Amino acid sequence: MNLVVVSNRVARGKPNEPMTGGLAAALLPVVEKSGAIWVGSSGRVRDGNQKEPFAEVEALGAGALAMLDLPSAHYGGYYEGFANSALWPALHSRADLIRASEEDYASYREVNAFMARALLRFQKDDSVFWIQDYHFLALGCELRNLGVTRPTGFFLHTPWPSRAVIGGVPHHRELIEAMLAYDLIGFQTDEDCENFLSYVQADIGLAVRDGVVTSRHGRTRAAVFPIGIDPEKFAQQANKAITHPDVSRLRHSLNGEKLAIGVDRLDYSKGLVNRIKAFDRMWTLHPQLKRTISLLQIATPSRGAIEAYGNLQSDVAKLVTDVNGIHGEVDWTPIRYLNKGFGQAVLAGLYRTAQVGVVTPLQDGMNLVAKEYVAAQSPADPGVLVLSQFAGAANELDTALLVNPHDIDGMARTIATAASMPLTERRMRWEAMMDKISDRTIQQWFADFIDALQETQSGAIGPVLPEPTPLWSRRSADRGARYH
Ligand code: F6P
């Protein structure tokens, strides 16, 4: 099998470099080992009139990385426009933030079609295509339009919302019908998968049986594959990072005080405003906790050209300044707020230094920071994870302290509880979370999805609808993925 992995953002094989976003960082180690070719955006644009899409190709572990210049006329409408101003807010249940013009939608479809044409160059007789995330909902359909008959799978890293919310996206029906050209569609949680199938059944009126949708494209299986991390590697990195200058400077600066840590892209889905308000509330209600615990909030700037992100950036900065102004002392800063990214090796050391990890998104597909924080802890003296009930990770990490990120007082109480939790309870909770994380690693996730994708071709699903799209058909026994 020749695996072709596609995502908008790709990662180069340099673990010490800061990486924005969970997807690229999570995929790097597994794609490197698999020998796949990983195709994505170079971050540059060029005139789309060229005959051949331009790709810079370099070695990546046992395979290769191909970075494509996307067409300049459509990049803005695709990335800042339809993908991140219509799909992203809808997928995170923020229908109020959906903004999209017809031009944005046209650009999104153009870039999907452009990527499909570019992929032909990497196609071999035994190719299998695995497309990642909401940037490329229609890519499978474009591949089929170009006559590609090899298996195509899609994995969504974000949540999938209720029917009503997805119905707020312009052209939602056309897009979701296009998604059904994929043979396999993977989701992070049962709820995401159920929401998708319920739309397909109720709004498009298609038959769904055992998680298999029958459409004009043939059969599509929808299934759940919760993404994981490599916990051993993270633990090793955390051990090693103790001596990293950033990490030891942080330790020395704490003077025995406890630390809570938050690491997020600056995105409205991450719940940063509510989190900071919760710390404010905690220090107001329990002034004795001042100087005993502070917050290190790393917030990597993201999608700054989009209005909602620009507004958020100033709102969060202002809030941090206000809270520091109210609770700070000449020799104590309650919140250290950094707008930059860190490489994974340093992050692992920062996580280990913090007695409390705060991961409180309003909505999140999985949230790998939650898993990384847990994996980075010292087994003898682990920290406590405060986790939003609306992160996909909460399904597995149910011994974290789960919070409702809309309940500021409740979060304030829980953060205070986390900071004073006795060692026995911390260890008990941590061990249970480590068991879950070690059961579902990124390697397992990758293998499960590829197995399931290959099985779509092997004949177990049953007969298919008429051509033009070729079909493969079967499903086999559940190998760790949960099928619906
Ligand atoms: O889960 C969604 C995702 O693809 C993650 O990789 C990451 O959090 C984010 O979106 C990447 O966003 P961008 O590439 O726009 O910075």
Side-chain angles (χ1 to χ4, degrees):
M1 173 193 71
N2 245 293
L3 179 62
V4 182
V5 176
V6 184
S7 62
N8 177 66
R9 194 184 277 277
V10 293
R12 287 189 149 124
K14 295 177 187 143
N16 289 331
E17 277 188 4
M19 270 189 258
T20 308
L23 184 158
L27 285 185
L28 178 62
V30 272
V31 174
E32 253 179 346
K33 280 222 173 94
S34 70
I37 175 145
W38 188 2
V39 187
S41 158
S42 62
R44 290 182 302 268
V45 292
R46 71 165 60 201
D47 180 3
N49 293 331
Q50 58 194 321
K51 275 206 188 111
E52 277 282 300
F54 177 81
E56 186 188 334
V57 183
E58 61 184 50
L60 180 72
L65 179 64
M67 288 162 293
L68 227 66
D69 292 358
L70 296 182
S72 52
H74 296 295
Y75 186 77
Y78 149 77
Y79 180 76
E80 270 109 18
F82 200 78
N84 286 313
S85 297
L87 290 173
W88 180 271
L91 293 168
H92 291 83
S93 297
R94 289 296 306 268
D96 57 314
L97 294 178
I98 295 174
R99 312 268 182 279
S101 63
E102 281 303 304
E103 290 76 25
D104 289 346
Y105 180 64
S107 289
Y108 179 86
R109 295 301 302 249
E110 282 291 340
V111 169
N112 274 241
F114 177 89
M115 181 59 88
R117 291 195 297 278
L119 291 181
L120 291 182
R121 162 173 171 194
F122 304 110
Q123 184 183 218
K124 304 223 165 84
D125 289 349
D126 60 348
S127 286
V128 166
F129 294 90
W130 186 5
I131 317 302
Q132 312 287 326
D133 236 356
Y134 62 100
H135 307 89
F136 295 120
L137 297 182
L139 179 48
C141 184
E142 299 295 352
L143 284 170
R144 296 289 182 243
N145 290 343
L146 294 173
V148 172
T149 57
R150 300 294 305 158
T152 63
F154 173 84
F155 185 79
L156 183 70
H157 291 256
T158 70
W160 186 275
S162 65
R163 287 168 47 209
V165 174
I166 204 69
V169 173
H171 302 281
H172 53 95
R173 183 175 174 141
E174 194 175 297
L175 271 175
I176 295 169
E177 281 176 342
M179 283 175 78
L180 295 171
Y182 287 115
D183 300 303
L184 175 66
I185 301 182
F187 295 94
Q188 300 273 27
T189 69
D190 289 330
E191 194 185 339
D192 301 328
C193 191
E194 280 156 16
N195 283 344
F196 176 80
L197 289 176
S198 128
Y199 177 98
V200 165
Q201 223 164 356
D203 294 63
I204 312 189
L206 292 173
V208 177
R209 204 182 306 141
D210 295 333
V212 178
V213 183
T214 308
S215 73
R216 71 185 166 87
H217 296 287
R219 292 173 193 272
T220 302
R221 174 170 299 288
V224 179
F225 301 83
I227 195 168
I229 61 166
D230 181 342
E232 274 179 31
K233 187 176 139 213
F234 229 84
Q236 281 164 10
Q237 281 180 325
N239 249 326
K240 234 168 104 187
I242 299 289
T243 55
H244 189 283
D246 278 345
V247 178
S248 41
R249 276 207 305 277
L250 172 65
R251 277 176 191 269
H252 285 125
S253 72
L254 288 171
N255 287 321
E257 181 191 332
K258 288 185 176 160
L259 182 71
I261 191 168
V263 177
D264 306 83
R265 268 184 322 102
L266 238 174
D267 191 295
Y268 48 78
S269 66
K270 302 294 180 183
L272 289 168
V273 167
N274 287 7
R275 184 184 307 165
I276 291 162
K277 285 185 177 167
F279 275 87
D280 175 30
R281 196 88 183 113
M282 178 184 76
W283 289 311
T284 304
L285 293 176
H286 308 286
Q288 73 281 10
L289 291 181
K290 292 183 191 181
R291 289 182 181 280
T292 69
I293 179 162
S294 61
L295 169 67
L296 168 62
Q297 178 61 57
I298 295 171
T300 319
S302 176
R303 308 172 191 169
I306 300 173
E307 195 187 347
Y309 288 79
N311 294 343
L312 179 75
Q313 205 154 347
S314 24
D315 290 351
V316 176
K318 171 153 186 348
L319 190 59
V320 170
T321 310
D322 290 351
V323 173
N324 279 343
I326 292 167
H327 299 291
E329 299 288 348
V330 286
D331 58 346
W332 185 64
T333 305
I335 303 176
R336 302 167 197 213
Y337 181 58
L338 307 183
N339 288 145
K340 61 177 178 176
F342 288 86
Q344 276 202 317
V346 181
L347 275 182
L350 301 179
Y351 291 141
R352 193 163 182 137
T353 307
Q355 288 75 14
V356 180
V358 275
V359 180
T360 56
L362 306 179
Q363 282 291 325
D364 218 331
M366 176 55 67
N367 199 305
L368 293 179
V369 168
K371 294 189 173 183
E372 291 170 357
Y373 175 78
V374 172
Q377 297 308 299
S378 150
D381 188 18
V384 181
L385 177 65
V386 175
L387 177 62
S388 163
Q389 66 190 78
F390 303 120
N395 289 313
E396 294 162 80
L397 306 184
D398 51 1
T399 57
L401 294 183
L402 296 183
V403 291
N404 169 2
H406 301 287
D407 175 5
I408 312 262
D409 284 357
M411 276 202 287
R413 277 195 303 276
T414 307
I415 295 164
T417 304
S420 61
M421 188 180 281
L423 178 62
T424 335
E425 184 176 353
R426 279 190 275 133
R427 286 179 69 166
M428 208 185 68
R429 288 177 180 273
W430 177 80
E431 278 162 18
M433 288 192 278
M434 272 309 275
D435 284 350
K436 299 265 178 70
I437 291 174
S438 310
D439 267 3
R440 285 234 176 92
T441 61
I442 183 77
Q443 288 80 6
Q444 193 61 49
W445 172 81
F446 195 86
D448 285 346
F449 191 95
I450 295 297
D451 281 356
L453 181 53
Q454 286 183 304
E455 282 163 11
T456 60
Q457 239 198 348
S458 51
I461 300 178
V464 290
L465 288 178
E467 302 292 348
T469 12
L471 293 36
W472 30 94
S473 11
R474 168 196 82 113
R475 64 149 300 197
S476 71
D478 184 340
R479 285 205 195 153
R482 284 174 287 155
Y483 293 100
H484 289 260

